[in-house]
Structures are given as structure tokens and as C-alpha cells.
């Protein structure tokens, strides 16, 4: 998830060490090793002092340290050993010392050392487009969800167990969007930020808040599924105690796992800004419950579809008219965004599987999920439409003393 979902927007996204106090992920190791070599190079240049000014001076070209050379001399250097973290190569690069200074490296680094310098530019534009899309999606979702929450809170006749759960789910979508904006502002506001060394209290708090919001969103999706299953399976009366139980599941359980994850990061893996999670065993403290909730939601989704089929056709025979197909199809499509069933697509796949496609599904499409849920379960809900319409008629009667003709209600019949 991610939240995935939420990670992997930078080209050189550093990832958490898989072993405590051990080796770093290759991208971070690459950066640290180059910084170490750069310090050595500058130290060597300083120790040489005021040497000969003829020929080509020693310098660091961001990859290799080149020594002093006389005009006409060709210097060859092996590819940095740190490149072996990505590909096993033993290439070399040469430069000629000319009267005008050092020549360009020959062959270029991306050829000699098997480093493709064109991929980062393509990825950067791709990630920029993804960020733009999910920013628009989350912004629209927050605006529409806020209006939906106000409607469900303001009208007394809409206050029931079902809408109480809807409100909590809407709030988690709003929180998740706000958390993503805060995390972007904290971690990704500056393109020069080194995520392998960034470690501030503010960035850690933003990451923790983001993880908590994502977890609460998944658990309230689970609450929606449990509630609807209980309605369909029995005439279960949802008392205040039951709603307190749902609240504990939706808000309290994520707190427990977040605290457990914070403790594990503080004592065993207090590295960077806690935003690097791939290959970290402690990431499963958060990812594990989310994966389980998605799996349970999917099973509940399939169970509800089974119940709907039985209710539409009690004798379990083939449908005899197209209206039953339409009702079943509409109910099924309504449940997909409410239960987050689409997350099953990547649920049990490795984190590194088709990263670009995951970003599109989990970030771009996921950012519009709150918008879709608010429209389906608030604005297109016939009960909500009738109540808003009645309040509008009362306002007109109080203001003008006349009642306008009743508007046609929505034809969408949803019990959700």
C-alpha cells in the first residue's frame, strides 16, 4: 500500500537498511561512497598544495578523482567500485590533458560503466506527471468530502449508524489527503534534498502521521464491509456499544500498530526520515495489518455479492430478465470503491513489481477514491437528496412564503 502509496516519487529514492546497523540500500550506499571519495579527492588536492601549474590540475568530476597530468598525457581510471552495487562491470574511462585543459571522458560514464544517463530524465517527467495527477485528485476529494461530511452532520434525520460510519470513512479520506500534502511539503519541497541523510523531527512526524492516516482509512473500509455484512446477514441492532467497537477498530487498532512501529524504528532502525521502508522487516508492522484488512474486505465483498445474488434470485437459477442483471451490476460497482476492492490487484505482489503501474493505480486512481465514495454514498444517495430537497423547500417557504414544485428525486436505489 502505500501507500504505497505513497513512496517512490523521487528518482533516487533511498530505501531503509534491511539489517539493523548494517549495509545501506544500494542507492544510499552509492551516494555515501561518492561523498567519501570526493572528500578524499579534495584532501589529496589540498595536500599537494601549490604544485606545478603546468598541464592539467587535479579535480573531482563528481564521479572520479583525476590527478595532475602534463599536456599530451592520457589518464585512465576504472569505473568507481560503488557502481558494482548495480551492475557487475570492470569498465574504464580516460581523459586527455590538452593545452585547453581536460578533455571529456572517453568513453562516457554511462557507456563505460553501464549507467544510462537518459533514464532519470524520463522518470523525472513521469513522476512529475504522477504528482500533478494525485495532487488534483486529492484536492478535489478533500473539497467534496468536506461538503459531504457537513451535509451528514447538519441534517438531524440523516444521523444514523450507517451515516456515522460513512462520516468516519470520509474523514479518513480527508486526513489521508492532508497527510500526503504535508509529507510532500516536508520531504519533497526541495529537489536538492538528500533523502539518505535527511533526519529531522518534523519529517519523521509527517511520515508517522501519513502512515496513521493510511491505516485508519483501510480499517474504516473494513468497518464498512463488516457493517454491511451484519445488515445483510441478520436484523442486528447496532447499539452505541457496537459503534464504539467499530470506532475502536477504525481508530484504535491503527494507533497500536503505529506505536509499535515507532518503537521499532527508534530502537532498531532510527535511520533517515523513516520514509525508507523497502526490505525493512519492521515495515510489516504497518503493511501486515493493511494486507490482512484488504484480504478480509475482499472476502466480505465476495460474500455480499453472493448474498445479493441469492436475494435477487432465491431459487439460484439463471436470471430471467435484464433488470436483475442491472441491479446486481450496479450493487457490485457501488461496493468496489467503498470496500477498496481494487487494492487486491497489487496486494500480494512484491513492492518492486511494475513500479510505474503501481504508482498509476495506487496514487493516481487512489487519489480520486474519496471523491467517488462521497458522490456515490452521499450526493447520489436518495435519502440525502430527499432531505436536502426538503430543507430547500422549507427555506424557500420561510423566505418567500411559497413552495416550489418538487424536483424529481434520484432513481438510484442504494441501501448503503
Amino acid at each position: 500500500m502505500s501507500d504505497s502509496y505513497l513512496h517512490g516519487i523521487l528518482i533516487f529514492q533511498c530505501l531503509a537498511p534491511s539489517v539493523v546497523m548494517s549495509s545501506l540500500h544500494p542507492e544510499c550506499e552509492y551516494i555515501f561512497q561518492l561523498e567519501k571519495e570526493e572528500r578524499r579527492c579534495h584532501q589529496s588536492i589540498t595536500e599537494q598544495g601549490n604544485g606545478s601549474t603546468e598541464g592539467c590540475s587535479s579535480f573531482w568530476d563528481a564521479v572520479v578523482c583525476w590527478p595532475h597530468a602534463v599536456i599530451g598525457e592520457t589518464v585512465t581510471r576504472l569505473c568507481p567500485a560503488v557502481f558494482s552495487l548495480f551492475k557487475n562491470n570492470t569498465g574504464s574511462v580516460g581523459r586527455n590533458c590538452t593545452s585547453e585543459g581536460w578533455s571529456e571522458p572517453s568513453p562516457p560514464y554511462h557507456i563505460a560503466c553501464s549507467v544510462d544517463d537518459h533514464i532519470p530524465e524520463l522518470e523525472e517527467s513521469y513522476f512529475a506527471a504522477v504528482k500533478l495527477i494525485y495532487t488534483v485528485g486529492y484536492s478535489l476529494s478533500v473539497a467534496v468530502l468536506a461538503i459531504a461530511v457537513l451535509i451528514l452532520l447538519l441534517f438531524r434525520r440523516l444521523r444514523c449508524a450507517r451515516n456515522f460510519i460513512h462520516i468516519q470513512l470520509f474523514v479518513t479520506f480527508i486526513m489521508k489527503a492532508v497527510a500526503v500534502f504535508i509529507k510532500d511539503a516536508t520531504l519533497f519541497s526541495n529537489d536538492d534534498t538528500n533523502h539518505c541523510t535527511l533526519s529531522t523531527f518534523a519529517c519523521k512526524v509527517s511520515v508517522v502521521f501519513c502512515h496513521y492516516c493510511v491505516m485508519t482509512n483501510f480499517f474504516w473500509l473494513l468497518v464498512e464491509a463488516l457493517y454491511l455484512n451484519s445488515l445483510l446477514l441478520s436484523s442486528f441492532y447496532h447499539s452505541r456499544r457496537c459503534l464504539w467497537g467499530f470506532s475502536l477498530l477504525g481508530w484504535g487498532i491503527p494507533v497500536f500498530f503505529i506505536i509499535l512501529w515507532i518503537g521499532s524504528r527508534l530502537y532498531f532502525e532510527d535511520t533517515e526520515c523513516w520514509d525508507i521502508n523497502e526490505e525493512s522487516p519492521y515495515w510489516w508492522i504497518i503493511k501486515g495489518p493493511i494486507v490482512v484488512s484488504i484480504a478480509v474486505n475482499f472476502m466480505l465483498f465476495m460474500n455480499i455479492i453472493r448474498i445479493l445474488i441469492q436475494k435477487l434470485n432465491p431459487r439460484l437459477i439463471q436470471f430471467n430478465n435484464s433488470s436483475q442483471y442491472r441491479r446486481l451490476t450496479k450493487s457490485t460497482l457501488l461496493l468496489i470503491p467503498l470496500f477498496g476492492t481494487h487494492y487486491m490487484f497489487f496486494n500480494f505482489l512484491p513492492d518492486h513489481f511494475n513500479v510505474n503501474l503501481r504508482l498509476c493505480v495506487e496514487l493516481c486512481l487512489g487519489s480520486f477514491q474519496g471523491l467517488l465514495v462521497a458522490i456515490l454514498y452521499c450526493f447520489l444517495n436518495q435519502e440525502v437528496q430527499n432531505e436536502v430537497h426538503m430543507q430547500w423547500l422549507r427555506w424557500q417557504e420561510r423566505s418567500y412564503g411559497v413552495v416550489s414544485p418538487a424536483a424529481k428525486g434520484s432513481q438510484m436505489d442504494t441501501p448503503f
Side-chain angles (χ1 to χ4, degrees):
M1 288 228 30
S2 245
D3 150 181
S4 3
Y5 147 10
L6 303 174
H7 308 87
I9 300 181
L10 296 182
I11 296 172
F12 294 109
Q13 174 80 358
C14 300
L15 302 172
S18 57
V19 181
V20 180
M21 301 301 290
S22 181
S23 60
L24 296 169
H25 188 271
E27 280 82 358
C28 289
E29 184 71 22
Y30 170 81
I31 294 175
F32 292 149
Q33 286 294 333
L34 287 184
E35 289 178 349
K36 185 177 180 180
E37 292 298 326
E38 182 180 8
R39 289 192 296 269
R40 288 179 179 176
C41 182
H42 290 312
Q43 182 180 358
S44 176
I45 294 174
T46 302
E47 291 175 354
Q48 291 178 5
N50 298 323
S52 174
T53 57
E54 298 180 357
C56 300
S57 303
S58 304
F59 82 109
W60 169 260
D61 67 353
V63 179
V64 172
C65 187
W66 297 91
H68 178 271
V70 297
I71 296 176
E73 183 180 359
T74 298
V75 180
T76 302
R77 284 287 181 267
L78 295 175
C79 291
V82 71
F83 282 3
S84 62
L85 290 168
F86 304 96
K87 291 187 178 181
N88 185 16
N89 62 75
T90 56
S92 60
V93 179
R95 286 182 185 267
N96 294 326
C97 179
T98 68
S99 57
E100 297 180 356
W102 286 105
S103 66
E104 292 297 320
S106 178
Y109 285 116
H110 70 275
I111 295 177
C113 305
S114 301
V115 179
D116 193 341
D117 58 354
H118 296 292
I119 292 179
E121 295 180 3
L122 296 175
E123 290 186 348
E124 185 175 7
S125 62
Y126 173 79
F127 289 135
V130 169
K131 184 176 182 181
L132 176 62
I133 293 173
Y134 79 68
T135 300
V136 172
Y138 280 128
S139 299
L140 289 175
S141 295
V142 168
V144 175
L145 285 164
I147 297 174
V149 170
L150 287 176
I151 290 175
L152 296 180
L153 288 175
L154 289 177
F155 299 123
R156 182 172 299 178
R157 294 183 61 181
L158 296 177
R159 298 174 187 174
C160 60
R162 181 186 70 254
N163 287 336
F164 170 81
I165 295 175
H166 285 346
I167 289 173
Q168 309 305 309
L169 180 63
F170 293 171
V171 170
T172 62
F173 276 115
I174 295 174
M175 290 174 56
K176 184 172 74 170
V178 172
V180 170
F181 292 147
I182 293 175
K183 185 179 178 183
D184 282 353
T186 305
L187 274 70
F188 308 132
S189 59
N190 189 345
D191 293 337
D192 296 329
T193 301
N194 185 346
H195 288 258
C196 294
T197 57
L198 178 65
S199 181
T200 63
F201 178 77
C203 77
K204 291 179 180 178
V205 169
S206 68
V207 170
V208 170
F209 179 65
C210 187
H211 288 331
Y212 175 71
C213 294
V214 170
M215 285 197 74
T216 56
N217 183 247
F218 278 102
F219 274 86
W220 276 104
L221 290 172
L222 176 60
V223 170
E224 288 277 6
L226 292 172
Y227 175 80
L228 186 53
N229 267 268
S230 67
L231 286 181
L232 295 176
L233 291 174
S234 64
S235 57
F236 180 66
Y237 175 70
H238 294 87
S239 62
R240 285 183 176 272
R241 180 176 298 179
C242 179
L243 294 180
W244 275 108
F246 283 148
S247 298
L248 179 62
L249 175 62
W251 298 112
I253 299 300
V255 170
F256 170 77
F257 286 106
I258 287 294
I259 292 176
L260 192 62
W261 180 73
I262 291 175
S264 66
R265 292 302 299 250
L266 280 174
Y267 288 98
F268 302 110
E269 203 174 72
D270 190 10
T271 56
E272 294 83 46
C273 194
W274 295 1
D275 61 323
I276 315 300
N277 296 303
E278 187 176 320
E279 298 180 5
S280 171
Y282 306 104
W283 175 233
W284 279 96
I285 297 176
I286 291 179
K287 182 178 178 179
I290 292 177
V291 171
V292 172
S293 70
I294 293 173
V296 173
N297 256 15
F298 183 75
M299 290 187 290
L300 294 174
F301 170 78
M302 298 304 297
N303 184 56
I304 290 177
I305 299 304
R306 179 186 62 83
I307 295 174
L308 290 176
I309 293 176
Q310 291 178 346
K311 288 181 177 293
L312 290 175
N313 195 344
R315 290 175 296 177
L316 296 176
I317 60 175
Q318 292 184 346
F319 294 128
N320 52 21
N321 60 66
S322 59
S323 64
Q324 291 177 311
Y325 280 114
R326 289 197 298 269
R327 290 178 62 190
L328 178 61
T329 302
K330 183 166 60 177
S331 299
T332 303
L333 294 177
L334 280 170
L335 292 174
I336 290 176
L338 185 67
F339 287 8
T341 309
H342 57 286
Y343 289 118
M344 279 296 298
F345 186 67
F346 287 114
N347 191 20
F348 298 104
L349 295 177
D351 289 337
H352 55 77
F353 176 81
N354 205 329
V355 175
N356 289 347
L357 181 58
R358 291 182 72 112
L359 287 176
C360 285
V361 174
E362 298 182 4
L363 282 177
C364 297
L365 296 182
S367 65
F368 290 93
Q369 184 184 359
L371 172 65
L372 182 60
V373 168
I375 292 175
L376 292 178
Y377 297 96
C378 181
F379 297 105
L380 293 183
N381 183 284
Q382 191 167 2
E383 182 184 5
V384 174
Q385 289 182 344
N386 290 339
E387 184 62 23
V388 172
H389 179 64
M390 291 301 298
Q391 291 294 331
W392 171 253
L393 294 181
R394 294 191 189 103
W395 179 81
Q396 283 190 321
E397 185 178 5
R398 289 194 302 267
S399 301
Y400 305 105
V402 295
V403 180
S404 61
K408 291 184 179 181
S410 171
Q411 298 301 315
M412 187 171 204
D413 55 337
T414 169
F416 314 127

